[in-house]
């Protein structure tokens, strides 16, 4: 309402605000009529934490619902406009999974679906080679699976290869190595990289090497051995780098054990050499509770002897050989080892068990005393090749039985 004051016409501006973020509010000076024109493309807010992407369209605030799915099978996902997403944990012990997928059913525990076992994906790599072998596999901290193996060229010469897949099975790279190069093991290392060991055999005399590469397959460093007939058989991650064990052959049937520690830059921190005439080799290694190493393999009563003994060797953290034990054997070879939290050594083995070949787990004290046999699998030309620790003090060992052309996993 306009009024006169001190000879002037005074009026209050008309409020044309309609409370809508998506209109442009104005007043006509001539008619005094409010106009609330619809607008588009301007950000708006519907005051709800359950929507996102609020944007004006033809005078209305258009939104999209917030995705509150946390991809957990053991939570109930919902949204509260005032606060946002809510993930209610399902009661422990409830079934999870539909039972139809490759992983089957599991049980809920603290909001996680546990106990589902099965194949997530399957991939097959191929080259022009007639024969291919997958030798080892590892998974890096960011869930990249790296596998190493061996194929052959047109002349039948071995050629190494390595491939990598992401957690969904997408191929990241596939690379061939050098001719006459063989990988034996690969291990996930720091900074989402991997370290592989193997040997090059261009003249019939193998020379060992270690090689580190990133998740894109780029070689970071390579450390080559200076001895012929040198083979690295196993490696583990240790503080400050990796530890490797193996053997060097010499003469007709002689061989000597070898061990070393390399830093993350590929430089040798310590190396163990011996010139003792022997017939020994190391094929498995594990860290001990005191920061050292325990390695297992085979030995013999003398150079050229065909009677193999079970061999255990201990190194301190500086690489000094502190003890070794050769156990009288009935034709058994030790292959893999780990030390349990209670100090026991669990060792995988293969060889003759009675009148048949087989393999299994050997329980030993921290100093190498025999406590007894664990699980045993028998079968002609069979054996346990690796032993891996599982939660709850259990173990997984992997082996094979050639008589039935089967590969077995046993818990």
């Amino acid at each position: 309402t306009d009024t006169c004051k001190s000879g002037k016409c005074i009026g209050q501006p008309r409020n044309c605000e309609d409370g809508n973020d998506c209109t442009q509010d104005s007043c006509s000076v001539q008619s005094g009529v409010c106009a609330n024109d619809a607008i588009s493309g301007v950000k708006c807010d519907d005051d709800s934490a359950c929507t996102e992407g609020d944007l004006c369209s033809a005078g209305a605030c258009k939104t999209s619902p917030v995705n509150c799915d946390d991809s957990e099978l053991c939570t109930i996902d919902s949204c509260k406009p005032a606060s946002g997403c809510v993930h209610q944990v399902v009661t422990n012990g409830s079934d999870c999974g539909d039972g139809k997928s490759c992983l089957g059913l599991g049980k809920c525990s603290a909001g996680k679906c546990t106990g589902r076992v099965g194949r997530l994906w399957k991939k097959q790599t191929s080259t022009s080679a007639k024969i291919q072998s997958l030798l080892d596999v590892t998974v890096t901290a960011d869930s990249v699976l790296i596998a190493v193996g061996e194929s052959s060229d047109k002349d039948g010469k071995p050629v190494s290869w390595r491939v990598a897949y992401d957690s969904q099975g997408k191929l990241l790279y596939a690379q061939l190595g050098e001719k006459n190069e063989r990988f034996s093991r690969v291990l996930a290392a720091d900074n989402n990289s991997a370290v592989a060991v193997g040997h090059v055999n261009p003249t019939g005399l193998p020379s060992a090497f270690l090689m580190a590469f990133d998740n894109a397959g780029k070689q970071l460093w390579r450390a080559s051995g200076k001895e012929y007939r040198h083979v690295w058989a196993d490696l583990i991650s240790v503080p400050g780098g990796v530890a490797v064990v193996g053997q060097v052959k010499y003469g007709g049937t002689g061989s000597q054990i070898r061990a070393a520690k390399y830093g993350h830059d590929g430089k040798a921190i310590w190396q163990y050499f011996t010139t003792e005439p022997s017939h020994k080799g190391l094929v498995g290694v594990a860290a001990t509770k005191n920061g050292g190493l325990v390695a297992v393999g085979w030995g013999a009563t003398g150079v050229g002897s065909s009677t193999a003994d079970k061999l255990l060797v201990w190194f301190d953290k500086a690489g000094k050989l502190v003890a070794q034990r050769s156990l009288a054997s009935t034709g058994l070879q030790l292959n893999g080892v780990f030390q349990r939290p209670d100090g026991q050594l669990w060792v995988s083995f293969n060889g003759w068990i009675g009148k048949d070949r087989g393999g299994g787990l050997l329980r030993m004290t921290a100093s190498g005393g025999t406590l007894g046999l664990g699980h045993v699998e028998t079968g002609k030309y069979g054996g346990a090749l690796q032993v891996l620790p599982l939660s709850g003090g259990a173990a997984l060992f992997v082996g094979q039985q050639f008589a039935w052309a089967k590969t077995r996993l046993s818990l």
Side-chain angles (χ1 to χ4, degrees):
T1 301
D2 299 337
T3 59
C4 291
K5 183 177 181 181
S6 301
K8 294 183 178 180
C9 185
I10 304 297
Q12 296 295 325
R14 177 167 291 176
N15 182 13
C16 291
E17 174 63 52
D18 62 358
N20 186 348
D21 292 341
C22 294
T23 59
Q24 184 173 341
D25 306 324
S26 62
C27 182
S28 172
V29 177
Q30 289 75 20
S31 65
V33 176
C34 286
N36 307 104
D37 299 322
I39 56 177
S40 298
V42 177
K43 290 183 178 181
C44 53
D45 188 355
D46 66 352
D47 296 322
S48 174
C50 296
T51 60
E52 60 184 0
D54 301 358
L55 196 67
C56 292
S57 176
C61 189
K62 301 294 185 180
T63 64
S64 299
V66 170
N67 181 12
C68 289
D69 185 2
D70 61 0
S71 299
E72 293 290 350
L73 298 175
C74 294
T75 60
I76 299 175
D77 305 322
S78 60
C79 190
K80 293 183 177 181
S83 57
C85 291
V86 177
H87 308 290
Q88 181 182 350
V89 176
V90 173
T91 304
N92 286 346
S94 300
D95 289 338
C96 50
D98 56 13
K100 298 178 181 179
S101 66
C102 292
L103 293 182
L105 285 173
K107 295 291 183 181
C108 291
S109 176
K112 301 292 183 180
C113 188
T114 62
R116 303 181 77 199
V117 180
R119 188 173 71 197
L120 291 171
W121 47 264
K122 175 183 178 181
K123 296 294 179 179
Q124 181 173 339
T125 58
S126 62
T127 67
S128 58
K130 294 181 179 180
I131 301 176
Q132 296 186 79
S133 299
L134 172 64
L135 300 177
D136 200 16
V137 64
T138 189
V139 179
T140 64
D142 59 350
S143 300
V144 172
L145 183 147
I146 298 175
V148 297
E150 178 185 313
S151 59
S152 58
D153 63 13
K154 62 181 181 179
D155 298 321
K157 301 293 185 181
V159 178
S160 66
W161 56 260
R162 61 184 188 269
V163 296
Y165 297 92
D166 67 14
S167 60
Q168 304 302 312
K170 178 183 177 182
L171 179 66
L172 300 179
Y173 67 81
Q175 298 176 346
L176 289 176
E178 299 179 12
K179 181 182 291 189
N180 293 308
E181 182 179 80
R182 300 171 184 263
F183 286 123
S184 56
R185 297 295 304 278
V186 64
L187 176 75
D190 292 346
N191 301 320
N192 293 320
S193 62
V195 179
V197 294
H199 64 273
V200 179
N201 192 23
T203 61
L205 301 176
S207 177
F209 70 88
L210 291 87
M211 182 176 69
F213 44 90
D214 61 21
N215 282 351
K218 178 183 177 181
Q219 181 175 308
L220 303 176
W221 53 261
R222 185 183 179 105
S224 299
K226 298 180 180 180
E227 295 179 288
Y228 287 123
R229 297 188 177 182
H230 181 190
V231 176
W232 289 129
D234 197 14
L235 79 164
I236 59 169
S237 180
V238 294
V242 295
V244 290
V245 297
Q247 62 268 342
V248 169
K249 294 184 177 181
Y250 67 93
T253 58
S255 59
Q256 300 164 338
I257 62 174
R258 291 289 185 265
K261 177 181 177 180
Y262 288 83
H264 295 303
D265 57 359
K267 295 181 179 179
I269 297 175
W270 58 259
Q271 299 183 68
Y272 175 81
F273 295 89
T274 177
T275 57
E276 171 195 7
S278 64
H279 183 47
K280 299 177 181 179
L282 299 177
V283 294
V285 64
T288 58
K289 296 176 66 175
N290 61 9
L293 301 174
V294 58
V296 298
W298 46 269
T301 54
V303 176
S305 171
S306 60
T307 304
D309 293 330
K310 300 185 290 291
L311 179 66
L312 292 95
V313 179
W314 287 264
F315 299 92
D316 65 15
K317 62 179 64 177
K320 179 182 178 181
L321 179 68
V322 294
Q324 62 177 311
R325 185 171 185 183
S326 183
L327 306 177
S329 175
T330 56
L332 299 181
Q333 174 180 308
L334 306 183
N335 296 312
V337 60
F338 79 91
Q339 187 169 40
R340 287 164 45 97
D342 61 8
Q344 284 189 24
L345 299 177
W346 280 21
V347 184
S348 62
F349 67 88
N350 68 345
W352 288 101
I353 303 175
K355 296 182 179 180
D356 205 354
R357 286 186 65 89
L361 286 175
L362 181 65
R363 296 187 301 111
M364 311 184 79
T365 66
S367 59
T370 301
L371 295 175
L373 291 176
H375 183 76
V376 175
E377 292 274 357
T378 59
K380 191 175 182 181
Y381 308 116
L385 305 179
Q386 288 292 330
V387 58
L388 303 172
L390 300 176
S391 61
L396 167 72
F397 75 87
V398 183
Q400 53 194 357
Q401 291 180 309
F402 295 112
W404 293 277
K406 293 181 179 179
T407 298
R408 293 191 175 187
L409 297 175
S410 296
L411 292 176

